[in-house]
Amino acid sequence: MAGERFRVTLWNEHIHERRDESVTRIYPDGLHEAIASGLRRELGETVSIHSATLDEPEHGLTESVLSGTDVLTWWGHAAHDRVSDEVVNRVHARVMDGMGIVVLHSGHHSKIFRKLMGTTCDLRWRSDPGGEREVIWTVNPTHPIAAGVPQPIVIPHQEMYGEFFDIPTPDELVFISSFAGGEVFRSGCCFYRGAGRVFYFGPGDQEFPVYHQPEIQRVIANGVSWCRPLAPNDLPATRVANTPREWFST
Amino acid sequence: MAGERFRVTLWNEHIHERRDESVTRIYPDGLHEAIASGLRRELGETVSIHSATLDEPEHGLTESVLSGTDVLTWWGHAAHDRVSDEVVNRVHARVMDGMGIVVLHSGHHSKIFRKLMGTTCDLRWRSDPGGEREVIWTVNPTHPIAAGVPQPIVIPHQEMYGEFFDIPTPDELVFISSFAGGEVFRSGCCFYRGAGRVFYFGPGDQEFPVYHQPEIQRVIANGVSWCRPLAPNDLPATRVANTPREWFST
Amino acid sequence: MAGERFRVTLWNEHIHERRDESVTRIYPDGLHEAIASGLRRELGETVSIHSATLDEPEHGLTESVLSGTDVLTWWGHAAHDRVSDEVVNRVHARVMDGMGIVVLHSGHHSKIFRKLMGTTCDLRWRSDPGGEREVIWTVNPTHPIAAGVPQPIVIPHQEMYGEFFDIPTPDELVFISSFAGGEVFRSGCCFYRGAGRVFYFGPGDQEFPVYHQPEIQRVIANGVSWCRPLAPNDLPATRVANTPREWFST
Amino acid sequence: MAGERFRVTLWNEHIHERRDESVTRIYPDGLHEAIASGLRRELGETVSIHSATLDEPEHGLTESVLSGTDVLTWWGHAAHDRVSDEVVNRVHARVMDGMGIVVLHSGHHSKIFRKLMGTTCDLRWRSDPGGEREVIWTVNPTHPIAAGVPQPIVIPHQEMYGEFFDIPTPDELVFISSFAGGEVFRSGCCFYRGAGRVFYFGPGDQEFPVYHQPEIQRVIANGVSWCRPLAPNDLPATRVANTPREWFST
């Protein structure tokens, strides 16, 4: 794929930023714009970036948008239930065919993440207006998503997410966080599903400027790059499915 | 749980056995009765066995039946779509809470298995009236599901299921099969989902007497035993979720 | 194996307890005696417990002792280099044949653990006389080693062990710890090697009474139980190795 | 690393090719030359290739050669015991620091592979002069090592290697082979050890022209590329090890 730009679509529910003054102050153009600016700085010309939000027709995720998307990022919190099943199934089908997906923070409870995981994706959390210090540790130092990431990353104020986090065992565990309150969280998790790659990353909340923090932007850029589709060498054949004896030996 | 019997519900679509003469000859009382007889021989008094089929009200899987089930086995082929989403969701919720599930052969395309896996669960297969030899190899010799199982198991006539099998990487891979035609298949796969355990086992087809074969019955009995719920030590607490600072230190 | 006692050998370097007054006060009869007393309380009649120490001939780990051992626990710190390669190779061979091994705390740098892992087993640590609070979280709530273990376990004073911990990715990750200083550590890790099971558990230090703490004793008892050998169904055959064509079909 | 060539050292025992006429005919310049020619075709200018053999001083693997090597490939069969422990330890230390290693066929019993695995690496095999058909299946279609590889690869004549293969569970399983005799083998296995990557690939034997087969050369080239070191982001810090409280927050 050398030389070709890959295409990222940033999906954002985009409710808090328009409704809650405290959030508007931090993310006046939407969370997705902070994420986009990090991707532009880290990935430059190699990437073309679009966004899509809940209120657009088909949530901005039409067949045509998705077929033109290599990696989708997902942020949602207040309105998981308002995402239509049809769109969720469409996104899922694209992941099966190779589109990558980066699920952020409260996206753990989105329909698409739960559908990909097969579990409740429940977790422990703490409602605390000031947040608390999160320290993110790399436990897989040669993983591409950890490249150039400081050990550790410190987020001064963040909402606590803690174990038990009800996900399948990650295929690759990249980051584990601790919180000032003593909890731990598997905060950077990779999964392979169909021909697609899934990266879940815990940090980020509408009430804290986490997505403006350069180290966090670096992780998201690494995650997006890691999720880029590789051409699978057998899936189309598999879907033909019924194969005669000795089909491969002639 | 010593001393207590555990409760197994055998779910069978039960269509082929009543419709297709070739199948009736092999499984006059239904596939589930062959499976039950193996469980009785292998597990004896430690297990109580019930069955449920598609045509019963709520497919025989009412709340009350499921809450009284420790391990469910699932066989379906011709009518995956006729299983109601409500029942599928109910079964899924019980797996999240700890019920084990053993999915057999063509159950790979059942709604419940796909929901637990998050993938298409597509595979390569061969329509061949006489079937062909399947040889099943243990690649995890100390796994409880391989206990007392010969290396290898030979099934003289079986439908070919081959790679690529579109599942998440199994948490534990116990068996790999080869077929006379040269294909291979990950035929014994363990997954952990929520508080529940999932075992997928490839062998078994309505057209061949595979479920009468003692070694296959042994594997299914081992799988059922392995899937028995263990009391999880944190899930209820997690679902409370919002936890104050220092809640655990007083 | 119901009805049979299984045999545990507790290996302890046994230097600090005889040399350092601060340690003698906490473990007057040796660390291994604190561990033994926990095993007796948790496992009762099902287990027979022996101990072996560095200064005994062959470190107390003769062929005869090892062949009579189902699970070995290992604690060492000051004298890893004084353990003879011959004994290490003998222990390794027994693990390959099915003996379980529970490696504790500073045993991460023992010859036997490094030989089983294939890596340096280096980690981050902190020399701090008063220690600091360690909080141990279960991330695998249905794992047998987590059975009956509170979520979380709090150790008031403990030496910090932190990431990056240079081990292969655990086959099963049961516990993750946080420390007051903000570090995290994969503190409960399961590995399968040959026919044997390996459990590494981080807590425990000669300077703190960690092995007297009932929850820690519970984890060690669970770990010892989990490591019990299951009869492998193919290893002897594999070692014969050279196999004629169609050997299995007659 | 764009623009920089990476450096591959092909290690070959180089005994059979000089001693056994049947082998000389197939690999007159040594197995390593067949492997090199495949790498040159597949990787072109991006790679610089050297070779080293048993009979050279220090087996050709001096400190200086190894520090200049990004990826080492290993083929040995008749003389594993003649490889000195000092060189094995040196290779192992380089893998810990990030050098990749591709272990081929009978290299499963080499000292370096056993040291990296921590197990016996025993397997089932068959002595059969004509060999038999091996069919190699991709079970991980988006893995970089499977890129551009046909599904399946057929090797007309090859020595049988079968399960149980006594290795730790691979971190990534890419290929499974079947043999005409009915055996299966996990023939493409990835492991992460320290900062290094390890790829084991089963095919290849001195008696068959397997390393001249383009698809096999493609897999080896992919494996070499996959094993290239990525800069780890924490290992040097870890080795400093003793870290004061709050070291990261100032």
Side-chain angles (χ1 to χ4, degrees), chain A residues 124 133 135 137-141 151 163-164 173 176-178 181-184 186, chain C residues 124 133 135 137-141 151 163-164 173 176-178 181-184 186:
Chain A
R124 197 183 296 273
R133 188 184 73 175
V135 187
W137 298 89
T138 296
V139 296
N140 202 332
Q151 174 80 310
E163 299 286 342
F164 172 66
L173 178 61
I176 298 174
S177 294
S178 72
E183 282 89 355
V184 300
R186 288 170 292 170
Chain C
R124 198 182 295 274
R133 189 184 73 176
V135 187
W137 297 89
T138 296
V139 297
N140 203 331
Q151 175 80 309
E163 299 287 341
F164 173 64
L173 178 60
I176 298 174
S177 294
S178 71
E183 283 89 355
V184 300
R186 289 169 292 170

Side-chain angles (χ1 to χ4, degrees), chain A residues 42-166:
Chain A
E42 294 289 337
L43 301 176
E45 291 297 304
T46 63
V47 68
S48 73
I49 300 172
H50 305 270
S51 64
T53 59
L54 183 69
D55 284 351
E56 297 174 44
E58 305 184 46
H59 315 317
L61 299 174
T62 60
E63 283 285 1
S64 140
V65 165
L66 284 176
S67 69
T69 297
D70 292 310
V71 182
L72 180 69
T73 70
W74 194 276
W75 197 97
H77 177 243
H80 293 314
D81 286 350
R82 288 176 47 206
V83 177
S84 83
D85 288 342
E86 190 187 343
V87 168
V88 171
N89 290 340
R90 193 186 290 159
V91 171
H92 185 265
R94 272 290 290 136
V95 174
M96 293 303 103
D97 279 340
M99 183 181 74
I101 184 166
V102 174
V103 176
L104 295 166
H105 189 60
S106 45
H108 75 92
H109 257 173
S110 63
K111 286 181 178 177
I112 182 61
F113 190 60
R114 293 167 76 147
K115 187 175 177 74
L116 286 162
M117 296 295 104
T119 57
T120 67
C121 303
D122 288 345
L123 49 75
R124 197 183 296 273
W125 57 281
R126 175 148 52 244
S127 173
D128 185 342
E132 66 197 88
R133 188 184 73 175
E134 176 175 358
V135 187
I136 304 171
W137 298 89
T138 296
V139 296
N140 202 332
T142 61
H143 198 284
I145 296 182
V149 170
Q151 174 80 310
I153 299 173
V154 180
I155 304 178
H157 301 279
Q158 165 69 349
E159 184 183 31
M160 188 281 288
Y161 271 17
E163 299 286 342
F164 172 66
F165 182 20
D166 182 20

Side-chain angles (χ1 to χ4, degrees), chain D residues 39-154:
Chain D
L39 292 182
R40 281 190 290 263
R41 191 193 64 237
E42 294 289 337
L43 301 176
E45 291 297 303
T46 64
V47 68
S48 74
I49 300 172
H50 305 272
S51 64
T53 58
L54 183 69
D55 284 351
E56 296 174 45
E58 305 183 45
H59 314 318
L61 298 175
T62 60
E63 283 285 2
S64 140
V65 165
L66 285 176
S67 69
T69 298
D70 291 311
V71 182
L72 181 69
T73 69
W74 194 275
W75 197 97
H77 176 242
H80 293 314
D81 286 349
R82 287 176 46 206
V83 178
S84 83
D85 289 342
E86 189 186 343
V87 168
V88 171
N89 290 339
R90 193 185 292 158
V91 172
H92 185 264
R94 273 290 291 139
V95 174
M96 294 303 103
D97 279 339
M99 183 181 74
I101 184 166
V102 174
V103 176
L104 295 166
H105 190 60
S106 45
H108 75 91
H109 256 173
S110 63
K111 287 181 178 178
I112 182 61
F113 189 59
R114 294 167 75 148
K115 187 174 176 75
L116 286 162
M117 295 296 104
T119 57
T120 67
C121 303
D122 288 345
L123 48 74
R124 199 182 295 273
W125 57 280
R126 175 150 50 245
S127 173
D128 185 342
E132 66 197 88
R133 188 184 73 175
E134 176 175 358
V135 187
I136 305 171
W137 298 89
T138 296
V139 297
N140 203 331
T142 61
H143 198 284
I145 297 182
V149 170
Q151 174 81 309
I153 299 172
V154 180

Side-chain angles (χ1 to χ4, degrees), chain B residues 137 139 141 163-164 178 182 184, chain D residues 137 139 141 163-164 178 182-184:
Chain B
W137 298 89
V139 297
E163 298 287 341
F164 173 64
S178 72
V184 299
Chain D
W137 298 89
V139 297
E163 299 286 344
F164 174 63
S178 73
E183 284 89 355
V184 300

Side-chain angles (χ1 to χ4, degrees), chain A residues 173-214:
Chain A
L173 178 61
V174 186
F175 302 118
I176 298 174
S177 294
S178 72
F179 289 85
E183 282 89 355
V184 300
F185 186 60
R186 288 170 292 170
S187 55
C189 300
C190 298
F191 304 91
Y192 297 81
R193 290 293 182 271
R197 292 170 172 220
V198 182
F199 177 55
Y200 175 79
F201 189 46
D205 188 86
Q206 70 276 6
E207 299 288 352
F208 304 107
V210 176
Y211 293 128
H212 292 301
Q213 192 169 332

